Amino acid sequence: MSFSFVREQMVEPAPAPVNTAGPIAWARRNLFATPSDSLLTILAIVLLVWAIPPIYGFVMPNFLGGDAVPPGGTVEQCRVETAGACWAYISARMTFFIYGFYPAEEYWRPNLVFALGTLLIIPLAIPRVPFKRTNAILFFVVYPVVCFYLLNGGVLGMPSVPTEQWGGLLVTLIISLVGIICSIPIGILLALGRQSKLPIIKTLCIMFIELWRAVPLITVLFMASVMLPLFMPQGTTVDKLLRALVGVTLFSSAYLAEVVRGGLQALPRGQYEAASSLGLSYWKSMWFIILPQALKHVIPGIVNSFIALFKDTSLVSIVGIFDLLNTVQAASSDIDWSSPTQAITGYLFAGMVFWVFCFAMSRYSIWMERRLDTGHKG
Amino acid sequence: MAVQDNIAGPPRTAFYNDPVIRGIIYQLVVAGLVIAFLTWIILNTAQNLAAQNKSTGFGFLFETSGFGISFTLIPFDRSSYYWQAFVVGLLNTLLVAVIGIIFATMLGFVLGVARLSSNWLIARCATVYVEVIRNIPLLLQLFFWYFAVLKAMPAVRESFELPLSIFVNQRGIIVPRPLPDFEIFWVAVTAVLALVAAIAMVVWATRVRTKTGHYPAVVSRASRIAGLIVTFGVGYLAISLLGTVVPALSLGPVFPLIGALVLAGISLSPYGRYGRVFIGFAIGWAVANFLLGGMFAGLGEGIIVLGAALVALGIAWTMLSADRRSAATEGKLPLALPVLIVIALPALVYWVTGASLAFEIPVLERFNFAGGLQLVPEMVALVLGLTIYTAAFIAENVRSGIQAVSKGQTEAASSLGLREGDRLRLVVVPQAMRVIIPPLTSQYLNLTKNSSLGAAIGYPELVNVFMGTTLNQTGKAIEVIAITMLVYLTLSLTTSAFMNWYNARVALVER
Amino acid sequence: MSDISSNSAEERAINASQMKVSDTDVAIDVVGMHKWYGDFHVLRDIDLKVMRGERIVVAGPSGSGKSTLIRCMNRLEEHQQGQIIVNGTELTADLKRIDEVRREVGMVFQHFNLFPHLTILQNLTLAPIWVRGIPQAEAEATAMHYLERVKIPEQANKFPGQLSGGQQQRVAIARSLCMQPKIMLFDEPTSALDPEMVKEVLEVMISLAEEGMTMICVTHEMGFARQVANRVIFMDQGQIIEQNEPETFFSNPQHERTKLFLSQILH
């Protein structure tokens, strides 16, 4: 049977049939593919129609069609029965939410801290910008010291502002940044210790890591608040914020140790062997060869730890420190702005701030992960 | 190299360069530093405690507590001891953890599967849920539920009333309290035994199916009879419910009875599926009517009934095409029988022994409800917050577990002719579970640890009762903190041990 | 079953290539088939009649649509225009028909796709038990028969992770054979194997051809095409450019694209 065939005329690409491409086809495939699919779509639409308009009306101000009171409004407007979110209350107390009890005439100091931080983080986060080592040293070593003196004062003629007056978003950022900055080196040492062949060091590191990972952060904060004064020599007082920082750092370093350990384990054995065959000592091979590669791999993991830490800073409100959540909570008993929607508006605001920070960081983490993956393909 | 072989033995290095000696020196130094540090801390602590005239010791556990607790599972009052307070706190923690784990798992699995759905809208909704909830601190969510939602509930006098006599107000959720009499014990035992029997029957039937190629004849025949009974029962329910939507149909109990008999009869004929479709339509209409009426109270009743009818038609159409597309029902596991066993046997015992399960309906009296069971808002908010928060993380675990099963596995199973149900059960789910379970147990542990946040909203769990109130009153900081941390440490180590055991057991065997 | 050990590889290949092809029994009939991925026209105007007993090799540059074509034949991919009729059943969205077709068509994948959580024996008996309802003892006997056929009966109770690539692919072939299919589709079965294992898999495929199995192979192994195939199809840009018997195809290609392709892969 003959089936030999040679094509004379090549077939040019034709557009896909109307019912398989374009918006109608898309809707058919993705929303109404099968009857049960269609049913789910209808139920989802019903649910959205029920839920979204009331939420929109509550959140959006008048000029966008909602019931909320825009920033700059009055408390009387908020007290009206049909009023939505009281954004006027937020805008009125905004400085409290950002700076806490920091004296208003010294706002330039926290503002400088914010500006410096942004200036240092952005080039650090973009992989293509050079001078990473200098950048890192500036950000991880110099910046915290500068911030401390700026905020605390007492030098260069700046009036002293005790930590009890720091509050709001400022404190949240301080705790999370200091937490992550201090816990990275500790976490690295712990991870190396856990990998070590020396039994005493290995056991101590494992015990330390497992202990802090097993207990809730709130117990760690309580512990830090209550027990730290007992551990210090008689007569010394430990600053309240410092206690929380110590607790958060210990807690976070245990989790970071596991993240770094994952990076160390993912490195091929060949790297370790190459380093030692070059005659490098343990610490030199770590510093020059192993750690740079391992840490680069776990940048997404470190960012994820930072996101978790950022969310966990809200717990310090339980030990009486005025982070963003606690300032919102405290302000909700402000009589001047009392209205039916005062509390919920405050929570919405805090929620949005946290969400914006955390979502942006998680997107960055995913982007870094993808970039690191493709850098190693093939 | 050969010529230079050292006859005198290995080269001698200075003893401080020998790696083994170095290792020992490092360890001794580290150990020494740690011991020195701990000693310093202990000395300071002893000094500080002496200066404050505080003693150490666990004797305080047997002193009277002097405080009350708002929600306890065991009897507790002001004259109870501190160790009893510890037990109350621990039980409250475990209670919230167990309830939270159950609900979070159910919600998390649904969301995880939804995120992978081919339905664009469902997948996006699930994604929005996960991305919003994951990026907001749990404490903030708890405050939201507790202060903004539950505390904003109406006063006791204007409580929301839900069906089944459930009331929602500022003081919490009040449900009817079950008042079982003694015979209920037999019903409960029967229910458990029936469940075990049903599972055993399914396992046995599957084994016979594997060995011989078809389900045991006994099971098939009994299942057909069970199917009839189930159709009758569900048909009765469907037609009765139809009466709520179309009042003209509720002509006394005879009408549903006859209707159910007709439906059961039809199910035996080749047109059985139309009967099932009608049942689906009827129940769907009634439920949709109820729900839509609740959600869109403003719209006219006619519109709601119409909308509900459309939804019901959609359900009917779905069932009809699902029936047509599925292959011969012979291949499917006869489910009607085990379901019937689980429901019917306890019901039989219930009827025979004359057991009764009364409910104490809460009744609004002058200032509060009398009777009924009150779920305090602290607990409701904590369970709600924990469930919603943890479900988002579980959803991500489930999603990555399902995605970890490579597409080639489903393709190979499909190309062998396996239908979707068997494909999922035999190929996809076993592999997905291996990837899902370890992080899932982590999430369970996280949920248990996060229950400690209940302290912030006043729920009397372990941290609140023991590390909060007890520590404040007795001042025994070190002992209390040590005990609390020990509890969490135990929970955590147990979970790790389980995870290691599970991983070792199901690890895919490789060269 | 032919005695594998007595004949040399070449003799068996010659045996295989001389198997009779049916004149009247159409195994697969593809008529005017077009397929799009979104807006990309991936398969254009495919007309193909596969008779019972044919051994077809589909060759072409990557991206030509050859894998997509055979994946449409057991509905792992859907076509938008035209007809595909397998063993007399037309492939449409009807699930019952798709199941019918898949029961009679076996497929072997480039990456084996064995079920890693089941033993080799369980891999082989899974489909016969749950799709055809064959009792377990009988399914296991069939499985052992095919395991001996692919020369690895001793691995029956091991897990896929413990086998080499070549062994895994042979198990994959045996797994498809346990369903007693009428047609076997091979999607680059040796592309993921180390060179020393390619031969053992090709030998199994040759012995299948010797038995008269209808086979469609997407492969780069031109030696196999020359020795065993009765028809070679060259595809490029989603369409069939040329098809012919192997000797004519390799010695006297007509179309320029065919000539270009052959010059690149044969030195």
Side-chain angles (χ1 to χ4, degrees):
Chain A
M1 181 183 147
S2 171
F3 39 63
S4 42
F5 166 81
V6 181
R7 183 168 286 278
E8 319 259 312
Q9 181 80 320
M10 294 296 284
V11 179
E12 291 305 307
V18 173
N19 67 343
T20 59
I24 299 183
W26 180 90
R28 248 164 141 227
R29 214 177 18 247
N30 289 312
L31 295 175
F32 302 104
T34 68
S36 46
D37 232 14
S38 317
L39 190 65
L40 279 175
T41 304
I42 294 175
L43 289 175
I45 294 180
V46 165
L47 202 66
L48 288 175
V49 165
W50 172 68
I52 300 223
I55 296 179
Y56 184 87
F58 187 81
V59 171
M60 289 293 158
N62 299 332
F63 56 85
L64 284 175
D67 299 316
V69 178
T74 65
V75 64
E76 283 78 26
Q77 288 173 315
C78 292
R79 287 190 182 141
V80 170
E81 248 207 54
T82 57
C86 191
W87 298 121
Y89 153 67
I90 301 291
S91 63
R93 309 287 330 258
M94 186 64 95
T95 50
F96 179 53
F97 295 144
I98 299 183
Y99 304 104
F101 301 104
Y102 214 87
E105 46 307 346
E106 306 294 327
Y107 275 172
W108 64 272
R109 286 152 66 179
N111 288 341
L112 191 56
V113 165
F114 288 145
L116 282 176
T118 321
L119 264 163
L120 284 175
I121 272 203
I122 293 188
L124 199 57
I126 304 178
R128 242 173 283 187
V129 172
F131 303 119
K132 278 279 178 295
R133 195 156 279 186
T134 330
N135 203 341
I137 295 181
L138 274 177
F139 180 69
F140 286 105
V141 179
V142 176
Y143 179 64
V145 176
V146 167
C147 284
F148 172 71
Y149 282 114
L150 257 181
L151 289 170
N152 210 346
V155 292
L156 295 181
M158 294 187 285
S160 161
V161 179
T163 57
E164 286 77 27
Q165 291 187 325
W166 307 3
L169 186 58
L170 177 67
V171 164
T172 299
L173 284 172
I174 289 178
I175 297 182
S176 15
L177 277 174
V178 171
I180 205 80
I181 289 175
C182 295
S183 53
I184 289 182
I186 302 180
I188 294 177
L189 285 174
L190 284 170
L192 290 175
R194 196 170 175 160
Q195 299 275 75
S196 155
K197 295 195 192 67
L198 308 173
I200 295 186
I201 296 186
K202 184 169 177 165
T203 321
L204 281 174
C205 288
I206 293 183
M207 276 172 49
F208 185 92
I209 294 174
E210 290 306 320
L211 175 65
W212 297 117
R213 270 162 48 100
V215 294
L217 178 57
I218 195 174
T219 56
V220 175
L221 288 174
F222 264 130
M223 201 189 96
S225 293
V226 170
M227 281 165 73
L228 221 51
L230 285 178
F231 289 164
M232 293 291 121
Q234 209 180 345
T236 54
T237 49
V238 185
D239 184 74
K240 226 168 152 199
L241 185 62
L242 188 60
R243 292 182 220 172
L245 281 173
V246 169
V248 162
T249 304
L250 286 174
F251 186 75
S252 169
S253 60
Y255 283 89
L256 262 172
E258 288 299 283
V259 170
V260 172
R261 184 167 80 109
L264 289 172
Q265 282 181 328
L267 269 188
R269 276 224 65 81
Q271 293 296 315
Y272 293 91
E273 288 163 3
S276 60
S277 72
L278 282 173
L280 291 173
S281 73
Y282 178 80
W283 292 108
K284 282 218 181 75
S285 58
M286 280 298 146
W287 180 254
F288 287 111
I289 298 185
I290 306 293
L291 283 181
Q293 295 185 61
L295 289 177
K296 194 167 90 114
H297 265 125
V298 299
I299 288 179
I302 295 181
V303 175
N304 288 341
S305 294
F306 182 67
I307 296 174
L309 187 57
F310 191 75
K311 288 190 294 176
D312 283 341
T313 58
S314 51
L315 265 66
V316 300
S317 49
I318 302 183
V319 288
I321 295 180
F322 279 92
D323 74 310
L324 178 62
L325 184 57
N326 208 359
T327 50
V328 165
Q329 185 76 331
S332 60
S333 49
D334 180 357
I335 307 181
D336 287 337
W337 282 97
S338 78
S339 73
T341 59
Q342 183 185 27
I344 199 173
T345 309
Y347 294 135
L348 274 177
F349 168 70
M352 285 197 282
V353 173
F354 275 109
W355 189 84
V356 166
F357 273 95
C358 292
F359 186 70
M361 289 191 283
S362 72
R363 288 283 112 181
Y364 175 74
S365 163
I366 293 178
W367 177 74
M368 272 309 275
E369 215 174 327
R370 220 168 277 160
R371 223 173 150 276
L372 288 170
D373 255 349
T374 52
H376 283 254
K377 272 229 170 87
Chain B
M1 216 35 188
V3 179
Q4 292 187 347
D5 269 344
N6 212 328
I7 317 169
R12 304 279 230 77
T13 61
F15 87 99
Y16 51 79
N17 275 333
D18 182 355
V20 177
I21 305 279
R22 257 199 156 154
I24 298 182
I25 294 182
Y26 275 143
Q27 293 183 80
L28 287 176
V29 167
V30 168
L33 282 172
V34 170
I35 294 178
F37 180 66
L38 286 174
T39 317
W40 181 66
I41 287 185
I42 294 177
L43 283 177
N44 285 337
T45 314
Q47 255 189 334
N48 284 320
L49 285 176
Q52 295 169 26
N53 262 332
K54 288 189 187 160
S55 56
T56 58
F58 292 92
F60 73 96
L61 288 171
F62 298 98
E63 294 169 16
T64 318
S65 63
F67 62 92
I69 301 180
S70 62
F71 179 85
T72 66
L73 285 177
I74 60 172
F76 184 90
D77 59 34
R78 287 176 193 280
S79 62
S80 308
Y81 300 119
Y82 282 118
W83 69 264
Q84 287 171 305
F86 170 77
V87 173
V88 167
L90 186 58
L91 284 178
N92 284 346
T93 298
L94 291 175
L95 175 71
V96 157
V98 166
I99 300 180
I101 285 177
I102 294 175
F103 285 126
T105 310
M106 296 194 312
L107 184 58
F109 268 81
V110 167
L111 283 170
V113 170
R115 272 201 82 164
L116 293 174
S117 166
S118 53
N119 185 321
W120 180 88
L121 195 58
I122 299 282
R124 289 294 89 73
C125 284
T127 306
V128 165
Y129 176 103
V130 169
E131 288 302 327
V132 167
I133 298 292
R134 275 204 318 175
N135 288 312
I136 299 181
L138 175 57
L139 189 57
L140 176 52
Q141 295 186 37
L142 282 180
F143 282 168
F144 175 80
W145 292 118
Y146 185 63
F147 292 112
V149 174
L150 284 172
K151 283 295 181 201
M153 286 292 136
V156 174
R157 288 188 185 227
E158 291 119 33
S159 314
F160 274 139
E161 182 170 355
L162 296 176
L164 301 180
S165 298
I166 299 179
F167 296 92
V168 181
N169 60 38
Q170 260 177 6
R171 301 253 191 105
I173 300 181
I174 308 184
V175 301
R177 179 197 293 271
L179 294 171
D181 67 1
F182 182 71
E183 279 82 7
I184 289 293
F185 172 72
W186 296 116
V187 176
V189 167
T190 318
V192 170
L193 285 178
L195 189 63
V196 170
I199 295 178
M201 194 204 74
V202 169
V203 168
W204 170 66
T206 313
R207 205 167 290 169
V208 171
R209 164 78 175 80
T210 311
K211 277 213 163 58
T212 67
H214 48 257
Y215 288 104
V218 174
V219 170
S220 304
R221 246 173 274 147
S223 196
R224 238 167 284 160
I225 300 177
L228 265 179
I229 300 178
V230 169
T231 312
F232 177 82
V234 178
Y236 188 89
L237 179 68
I239 300 185
S240 324
L241 280 179
L242 209 53
T244 65
V245 183
V246 183
L249 285 180
S250 53
L251 308 161
V254 182
F255 185 68
L257 206 65
I258 300 180
L261 279 171
V262 168
L263 283 168
I266 294 180
S267 74
L268 286 174
S269 78
Y271 300 102
R273 65 167 188 222
Y274 292 109
R276 280 198 296 280
V277 168
F278 174 78
I279 291 178
F281 170 79
I283 296 185
W285 197 4
V287 171
N289 192 33
F290 172 72
L291 285 175
L292 287 178
M295 281 166 40
F296 301 101
L299 294 179
E301 198 182 310
I303 301 183
I304 292 182
V305 171
L306 201 63
L310 285 172
V311 171
L313 279 171
I315 296 177
W317 178 38
T318 303
M319 289 178 67
L320 204 59
S321 40
D323 255 354
R324 212 184 300 132
R325 281 155 65 94
S326 71
T329 43
E330 278 187 31
K332 285 203 186 146
L333 177 70
L335 266 181
L337 187 56
V339 168
L340 192 66
I341 290 180
V342 172
I343 298 181
L345 279 183
L348 198 65
V349 174
Y350 183 86
W351 179 64
V352 162
T353 61
S356 70
L357 182 64
F359 280 94
E360 193 187 51
I361 310 279
V363 171
L364 179 59
E365 292 188 352
R366 210 206 267 273
F367 291 116
N368 203 352
F369 280 89
L373 190 62
Q374 186 178 30
L375 302 173
V376 294
E378 290 81 21
M379 189 177 108
V380 174
L382 189 58
V383 169
L384 201 55
L386 282 174
T387 303
I388 293 182
Y389 186 75
T390 314
F393 291 90
I394 294 183
E396 282 301 279
N397 287 337
V398 169
R399 178 178 77 104
S400 52
I402 297 178
Q403 282 183 325
V405 180
S406 75
K407 203 161 164 263
Q409 292 288 303
T410 1
E411 287 183 353
S414 312
S415 66
L416 284 169
L418 280 168
R419 281 192 307 265
E420 173 140 27
D422 288 332
R423 214 159 55 215
L424 286 174
R425 180 172 63 94
L426 296 164
V427 176
V428 178
V429 169
Q431 294 186 61
M433 274 321 205
R434 280 171 167 78
V435 182
I436 292 178
I437 299 232
L440 190 65
T441 41
S442 250
Q443 292 304 332
Y444 288 169
L445 189 61
N446 281 343
L447 189 147
T448 312
K449 289 195 288 179
N450 283 337
S451 68
S452 57
L453 291 181
I457 56 174
Y459 178 72
E461 45 73 57
L462 186 60
V463 170
N464 189 350
V465 165
F466 204 56
M467 226 167 148
T469 318
T470 306
L471 192 154
N472 279 333
Q473 285 191 193
T474 63
K476 304 273 189 226
I478 301 175
E479 293 86 344
V480 166
I481 291 180
I483 296 178
T484 315
M485 289 191 141
L486 199 62
V487 168
Y488 283 109
L489 195 60
T490 315
L491 281 171
S492 173
L493 290 177
T494 320
T495 313
S496 297
F498 167 76
M499 242 162 53
N500 288 335
W501 169 81
Y502 178 81
N503 273 336
R505 198 166 167 273
V506 302
L508 293 174
V509 183
E510 310 215 335
R511 327 178 107 198
Chain C
M1 189 166 86
S2 46
D3 189 0
I4 307 172
S5 48
S6 64
N7 299 353
S8 78
E10 282 188 16
E11 286 170 349
R12 291 177 41 232
I14 294 175
N15 276 345
S17 65
Q18 286 172 347
M19 288 301 296
K20 279 207 63 142
V21 170
S22 165
D23 278 338
T24 52
D25 188 3
V26 180
I28 301 182
D29 194 6
V30 182
V31 182
M33 197 259 277
H34 292 256
K35 177 173 167 59
W36 286 264
Y37 274 139
D39 276 333
F40 176 55
H41 200 171
V42 59
L43 287 175
R44 308 176 195 176
D45 195 31
I46 305 283
D47 280 296
L48 178 63
K49 254 196 182 50
V50 178
M51 311 305 290
R52 189 78 50 200
E54 282 207 70
R55 290 98 41 207
I56 299 186
V57 165
V58 183
S62 57
S64 53
K66 3 183 247 297
S67 286
T68 316
L69 174 60
I70 63 166
R71 284 159 65 92
C72 284
M73 289 176 185
N74 66 351
R75 200 75 178 180
L76 283 184
E77 306 275 358
E78 296 175 3
H79 58 282
Q80 280 81 35
Q81 228 175 56
Q83 289 177 309
I84 302 182
I85 303 169
V86 179
N87 289 329
T89 314
E90 183 181 348
L91 274 180
T92 62
D94 190 340
L95 278 183
K96 275 216 188 83
R97 298 205 189 175
I98 297 177
D99 284 342
E100 254 177 66
V101 165
R102 286 178 176 167
R103 254 175 269 153
E104 305 296 329
V105 174
M107 185 152 188
V108 176
F109 299 85
Q110 181 178 359
H111 296 289
F112 334 134
N113 289 335
L114 292 180
F115 305 131
H117 59 296
L118 301 174
T119 63
I120 302 298
L121 196 61
Q122 288 168 333
N123 260 276
L124 266 57
T125 56
L126 186 75
I129 290 177
W130 291 101
V131 178
R132 288 201 192 277
I134 296 177
Q136 186 176 20
E138 198 184 313
E140 285 183 358
T142 317
M144 287 311 297
H145 163 86
Y146 282 110
L147 274 180
E148 277 158 19
R149 175 81 188 270
V150 299
K151 298 198 251 183
I152 40 175
E154 71 281 359
Q155 310 285 359
N157 290 315
K158 295 232 180 94
F159 286 87
Q162 295 172 293
L163 269 54
S164 74
Q167 290 171 324
Q168 289 189 49
Q169 192 63 299
R170 287 187 274 157
V171 169
I173 298 177
R175 179 176 66 173
S176 299
L177 290 176
C178 282
M179 287 292 283
Q180 323 270 28
K182 298 207 181 78
I183 304 172
M184 285 286 281
L185 304 173
F186 292 86
D187 189 357
E188 308 216 26
T190 55
S191 298
L193 295 176
D194 292 333
E196 63 268 18
M197 301 194 218
V198 170
K199 184 160 170 263
E200 61 196 47
V201 173
L202 286 180
E203 275 184 8
V204 172
M205 290 165 68
I206 293 176
S207 77
L208 273 181
E210 268 188 300
E211 309 233 315
M213 173 69 79
T214 313
M215 316 168 43
I216 307 178
C217 313
V218 173
T219 182
H220 298 299
E221 295 289 326
M222 292 300 128
F224 176 80
R226 250 200 258 258
Q227 289 179 317
V228 174
N230 78 304
R231 171 164 35 155
V232 180
I233 297 180
F234 173 67
M235 280 183 73
D236 194 5
Q237 291 195 341
Q239 46 207 298
I240 298 180
I241 305 289
E242 186 170 340
Q243 58 180 356
N244 224 324
E245 283 141 355
E247 313 97 63
T248 331
F249 182 84
F250 286 109
S251 58
N252 195 11
Q254 304 282 313
H255 202 283
E256 331 137 18
R257 285 180 195 250
T258 323
K259 293 182 197 165
L260 179 64
F261 175 71
L262 285 177
S263 72
Q264 284 168 339
I265 63 164
L266 301 171
H267 308 295

